[in-house]
Amino acid sequence: MANWLSREIRHLLPTFDLHAVRTVLVSFDPWRLDSRPTRDFLHIITDDSVAKHYPKMFVKPTIKSDMSEPVVTVEFIDSSKAIFKASKLTTLDIFIKLKPLCIAKAPPP
């Protein structure tokens, strides 16, 4: 991941509230060149600091070898889903598109 991209993501992550997220399903084929941002997203979302703050969030990676498009599926606590077909997205794009959904679905304090 490029330095500027990791810097941007590092600045964006503290503003996230993932309490509205129940499940994150990440599927990709590691042999596809466009799966790198999806793998980086998986790496970030499974970091120990994220897991410590959101213990109820379940992350399930699925690694395929069928040249399928990388997909990130996020299920929220209200059972709605967001599906990101990530072949043309960067890691930052995935986070930017996920943030307003998390804000809209956040449980009341």
Side-chain angles (χ1 to χ4, degrees):
M1 188 174 347
N3 284 338
W4 70 270
L5 187 57
S6 66
R7 234 185 353 260
E8 289 295 321
I9 292 171
R10 243 184 287 126
H11 289 295
L12 186 65
L13 276 180
T15 66
F16 256 75
D17 183 10
L18 295 171
H19 285 101
V21 176
R22 179 183 298 157
T23 308
V24 179
L25 304 172
V26 181
S27 70
F28 60 90
D29 182 348
W31 301 110
R32 280 183 64 133
L33 296 176
D34 59 0
S35 71
R36 177 68 190 243
T38 309
R39 289 183 285 145
D40 290 341
F41 174 82
L42 177 64
H43 178 73
I44 293 166
I45 206 82
T46 57
D47 189 65
D48 289 340
S49 62
V50 175
K52 182 176 69 174
H53 290 313
Y54 306 105
K56 294 182 181 180
M57 183 176 67
F58 177 70
V59 179
K60 182 181 178 192
T62 304
I63 301 170
K64 302 177 178 182
S65 63
D66 58 359
M67 294 303 285
S68 60
E69 180 178 19
V71 176
V72 176
T73 305
V74 180
E75 182 181 354
F76 296 98
I77 56 175
D78 65 354
S79 297
S80 63
K81 291 183 179 182
I83 299 172
F84 301 100
K85 300 205 178 214
S87 65
K88 303 251 190 287
L89 298 174
T90 66
T91 308
L92 184 60
D93 290 338
I94 297 170
F95 279 108
I96 288 173
K97 291 177 184 295
L98 181 60
K99 185 176 181 175
L101 298 173
C102 290
I103 291 171
K105 308 239 183 236

